[in-house]
């Protein structure tokens, strides 16, 4: 029987960050200690401190790990055979399935609460969360520009604006625990309407080919 593959330092670091992320989302930053993380992953305190100098460093790595994991399906998204409106709506649905989950909302709230106390955590969250999503939308819009379907000066900026139009309302209601949360049908309608209005505003010379 082949021996089990030895865990590398990179594997171990990833395991610790992922486990810590799950704990932070449930218990908050102040509610999790290094000992709590150690109880989940095993090993010694020395192992954790070899990878992370303190809890704030671990928190930054945990946020990065969770954001990268959740955004993975977006980077693999393929719009093959879809019209531009359908592609953008499908991307909006992908975003909704990530950012509107209870876990994502909890992480967003947690980062917002700790941003003033933990240097760099806001940058980590933005670069591995929203910015990654804007880049995915930007790539799609850049290709649509090349195809003559739309005209935008900055596809990534336009992607950020489209994202906010699609999901900003639904996300804000959840983040603030507003009395009325949008239903799945209302979220879908918001995405469709945002795409319709967006495409009307950026129509290129081949707008009639959008499908």
């Amino acid at each position: 029987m082949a021996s089990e593959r030895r865990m590398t330092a990179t594997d171990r670091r990833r395991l610790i960050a992922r486990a810590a992320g799950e704990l932070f989302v449930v218990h908050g930053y102040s509610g999790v200690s290094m000992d709590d993380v150690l109880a989940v992953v095993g090993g010694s305190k020395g192992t954790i401190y070899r990878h992370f100098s303190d809890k704030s460093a671990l928190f930054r790595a945990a946020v990065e790990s969770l954001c990268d994991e959740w955004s993975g399906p977006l980077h693999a998204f393929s719009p093959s055979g879809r019209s531009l409106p359908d592609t953008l709506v499908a991307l909006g649905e992908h975003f909704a399935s990530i950012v509107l989950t209870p876990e994502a909302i909890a992480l967003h709230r947690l980062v917002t609460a700790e941003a003033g106390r933990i240097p760099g955590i806001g940058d980590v969250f933005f670069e591995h969360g929203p910015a990654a999503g804007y880049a995915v939308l930007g790539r799609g819009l850049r290709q649509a520009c090349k195809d003559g379907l739309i005209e935008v000066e900055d596809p990534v900026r336009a992607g950020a604006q489209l994202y906010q139009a699609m999901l900003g309302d639904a996300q804000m209601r959840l983040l603030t625990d507003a009395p009325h949360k949008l239903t799945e049908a209302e979220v879908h309608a918001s995405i469709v309407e945002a795409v319709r209005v967006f495409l009307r505003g950026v129509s290129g010379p081949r707008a009639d080919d959008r499908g």
Side-chain angles (χ1 to χ4, degrees):
M1 179 176 179
S3 60
E4 184 178 350
R5 182 177 68 87
R6 185 179 181 83
M7 182 175 289
T8 66
T10 299
D11 292 335
R12 188 67 177 172
R13 187 181 192 280
R14 186 180 297 116
L15 174 66
I16 295 169
R18 184 65 182 81
E22 293 180 351
L23 290 173
F24 284 130
V25 165
V26 174
H27 301 290
Y29 182 75
S30 62
V32 176
S33 68
M34 299 295 257
D35 285 338
D36 293 328
V37 178
L38 186 62
V40 173
V41 300
S44 66
K45 279 189 177 182
T47 299
I48 291 184
Y49 283 106
R50 274 198 298 273
H51 294 289
F52 308 102
S53 58
D54 55 25
K55 191 171 80 165
S56 64
L58 176 56
F59 184 51
R60 285 189 288 269
V63 169
E64 178 179 330
S65 175
L66 289 175
C67 287
D68 287 347
E69 178 183 333
W70 293 342
S71 64
L74 278 173
H75 297 290
F77 176 80
S78 175
S80 58
R82 296 175 182 264
S83 67
L84 180 56
D86 287 345
T87 295
L88 295 178
V89 169
L91 275 171
E93 298 284 2
H94 273 268
F95 281 115
S97 71
I98 296 168
V99 304
L100 302 184
T101 62
E103 294 80 11
I105 292 298
L107 181 64
H108 196 149
R109 287 173 174 167
L110 180 57
V111 169
T112 300
E114 301 298 335
R117 291 186 286 270
I118 301 177
I121 190 60
D123 289 338
V124 170
F125 178 76
F126 182 78
E127 291 302 322
H128 291 266
Y134 299 161
V136 171
L137 271 173
R139 285 197 295 272
L141 296 180
R142 184 174 292 108
Q143 184 59 53
C145 287
K146 291 179 180 178
D147 294 340
L149 301 179
I150 62 173
E151 294 178 346
V152 295
E153 181 177 339
D154 185 332
V156 174
R157 181 175 62 201
Q161 294 166 341
L162 176 56
Y163 169 88
Q164 292 299 327
M166 290 191 294
L167 296 173
D169 180 37
Q171 191 173 27
M172 185 58 66
R173 289 172 186 267
L174 291 170
L175 287 170
T176 59
D177 198 24
H180 174 67
K181 309 330 188 273
L182 299 189
T183 65
E184 288 187 13
E186 288 172 327
V187 170
H188 176 74
S190 176
I191 293 170
V192 171
E193 180 67 4
V195 169
R196 185 187 69 80
V197 172
F198 174 81
L199 290 178
R200 178 173 293 180
V202 299
S203 296
R206 291 175 54 197
D208 291 339
D209 295 338
R210 289 197 309 254

